[in-house]
Amino acid sequence: MYTTELDKQRHTVVTQEDPEKLAAFEARVAADDFIEPKDWMPEAYRKTLIRQISQHAHSEVVGMLPEGNWITRAPSLRRKAVLLAKVQDEGGHGLYLYAAAETLGISRDEMIEALHSGRAKYSTIFNYPTLTWADIGAIGWLVDGAAIMNQVPLQRTSYGPYARAMVRVCKEESFHQRQGYEIMMHLAAGTPDQVRMAQDALNRWWWPSLMMFGPPDADSPNTAQSMRWRIKRDTNDELRQKFVDITVPQADALGLKVPDPDLAWNETKGGYDFGAVDWEEFYAVVRGEGPVAKERMKARREAWESNAWVREAAAAHAEKKAAKREAA
Ligand code: BYC
């Protein structure tokens, strides 16, 4: 029902556009041309991009919190330095993405306000707690692994600034995935307690990682239009399947067990069959009922307020510089 209504609304918005401009735009997209900020674009395209890119940016920034939580407790100086660099990278990804969204005519302040007021979403995955050091391995391996699966095709998304931001993000994400897997390799080859920690982290992060790809295609109100406009290059289910197919052998190599009794190789489709995702849990987390959702938003709001002086100082400095330039 929701899908039908939303599709109808979108269809109305799109059919109200100038047909000639719309046809020229769609031909460019179909020819795999990049759409640039000053090009004409349908309003629904602009809105979808603002929604997706800003939510992506919020996910990167909120995503700093679960791992940031372990920087002071990393088990060695090397692990601490690597984790610190990774968390800083995520902040950088947020910045590239906010900047890409700004080219669509929305300000950074508007986007942040939408996050803080709960109107904008961010990835469900960051509403789960990081209970042990093995969770940092599991996040790098599974969460960054899922992110890469989703983001590599986005390097060819139809909006130029988003595609170019993704090229840089993907380079860093593959380092993140490897650092996570390396932590898991050490734990999985360690003492019985370390092996138990690694398995426990896999048990807790597996299903939420599959949820990162979004609802099944049949229940995804945005996929069909986003695929037509080449904002998305693969559907949620296609990417989820690819992720399972790549990740299960990695778990086998670690000697860990994926927590899914229905997981089985399907020779005919050349991929794994896997059990049902708990979509009730997913929608509850999307509604803001995730295990640590309140803490995450509280941390973001406090960081925004307590750092207001930095933004004010930077703005005052920029003003002074501009005034000096004008006077010269
Ligand atoms: N969580 O029609 P659908 C990272 C929402 S961070 C929350 O399929 P769409 C990292 C969806 O927004 C990487 N909400 O939507 C950082 C929609 O609601 P609205 C984050 C979700 O947009 C730090 C509704 O459900 N990656 O890598 O076509 C440390 C229906 O869904 C989720 C990105 O953001 C979810 N998981 O497809 C470590 C990638 N899934 O907005 C790592 C860019 C769906 O209509 N985004 N919803 O009210 C995308 O590729 C797409 O937006 C999605 C969803 C595949 C996520």
Side-chain angles (χ1 to χ4, degrees):
M1 186 56 203
Y2 172 62
T3 306
T4 319
E5 264 313 305
L6 206 70
D7 276 352
K8 263 196 227 152
Q9 281 169 22
R10 233 177 244 126
H11 184 68
T12 316
V13 173
V14 175
T15 49
Q16 277 167 357
E17 299 284 3
D18 178 329
E20 259 178 46
K21 285 184 177 164
L22 185 61
F25 168 85
E26 292 197 327
R28 284 188 65 193
V29 168
D32 273 340
D33 248 10
F34 283 122
I35 305 299
E36 296 298 337
K38 289 189 175 148
D39 294 343
W40 184 89
M41 61 186 81
E43 203 39 40
Y45 178 83
R46 182 190 304 276
K47 280 199 174 135
T48 301
L49 280 170
I50 289 179
R51 176 183 65 78
Q52 178 167 326
I53 302 174
S54 65
Q55 289 181 179
H56 194 161
H58 300 325
S59 304
E60 299 283 357
V61 173
V62 177
M64 296 168 79
L65 296 169
E67 290 174 292
N69 189 29
W70 276 89
I71 291 172
T72 53
R73 292 178 286 166
S76 69
L77 185 59
R78 174 175 164 265
R79 293 285 185 209
K80 193 191 288 274
V82 173
L83 183 59
L84 194 56
K86 179 191 189 289
V87 174
Q88 281 177 340
D89 283 352
E90 309 297 0
H93 298 174
L95 292 183
Y96 314 150
L97 287 159
Y98 283 127
E102 280 174 314
T103 64
L104 291 154
I106 184 165
S107 71
R108 182 92 51 107
D109 282 353
E110 284 174 280
M111 290 186 268
I112 302 285
E113 200 279 322
L115 173 69
H116 291 177
S117 66
R119 275 184 293 116
K121 297 185 167 74
Y122 60 91
S123 185
T124 43
I125 194 80
F126 302 117
N127 292 301
Y128 293 86
T130 37
L131 303 179
T132 74
W133 172 251
D135 289 19
I136 301 308
I139 289 182
W141 171 34
L142 301 173
V143 176
D144 287 273
I148 295 171
M149 197 55 75
N150 168 280
Q151 290 168 6
V152 164
L154 288 177
Q155 293 176 104
R156 292 181 298 110
T157 188
S158 57
Y159 188 57
Y162 192 20
R164 290 189 285 277
M166 280 300 107
V167 172
R168 205 158 157 186
V169 168
C170 282
K171 286 195 183 130
E172 292 173 355
E173 295 291 19
S174 39
F175 150 71
H176 295 171
Q177 195 272 353
R178 290 172 75 105
Q179 69 84 37
Y181 195 72
E182 200 237 347
I183 292 175
M184 295 304 277
M185 280 169 63
H186 275 261
L187 292 175
T191 64
D193 274 347
Q194 287 174 316
V195 176
R196 264 195 299 278
M197 261 170 67
Q199 181 63 56
D200 170 61
L202 171 57
N203 293 349
R204 285 180 293 105
W205 289 92
W206 175 255
W207 292 105
S209 298
L210 297 196
M211 293 176 197
M212 279 178 78
F213 297 95
D217 295 349
D219 301 321
S220 161
N222 299 298
T223 292
Q225 183 63 71
S226 288
M227 292 290 286
R228 271 197 295 277
W229 278 339
R230 304 202 175 174
I231 292 173
K232 285 166 85 163
R233 304 300 307 231
D234 300 88
T235 71
N236 301 355
D237 285 335
E238 284 165 358
L239 292 173
R240 192 169 9 254
Q241 180 70 53
K242 275 193 195 171
F243 174 75
V244 171
D245 292 345
I246 284 193
T247 312
V248 171
Q250 294 173 351
D252 290 344
L254 291 172
L256 299 179
K257 191 166 165 26
V258 172
D260 179 357
D262 297 324
L263 191 72
W265 178 254
N266 180 330
E267 195 60 48
T268 322
K269 78 171 183 188
Y272 286 90
D273 288 331
F274 53 95
V277 175
D278 182 350
W279 293 112
E280 286 306 311
E281 175 179 325
F282 168 79
Y283 286 115
V285 180
V286 170
R287 286 195 302 272
E289 296 162 24
V292 292
K294 290 200 173 64
E295 288 91 319
R296 296 289 184 247
M297 273 306 94
K298 184 167 175 283
R300 283 311 318 154
R301 285 195 206 101
E302 281 175 3
W304 181 254
E305 281 155 23
S306 63
N307 293 319
W309 69 271
V310 179
R311 294 190 298 281
E312 283 156 20
H317 179 67
E319 251 174 53
K320 255 192 204 169
K321 263 179 106 177
K324 263 192 196 162
R325 255 200 315 273
E326 253 175 44

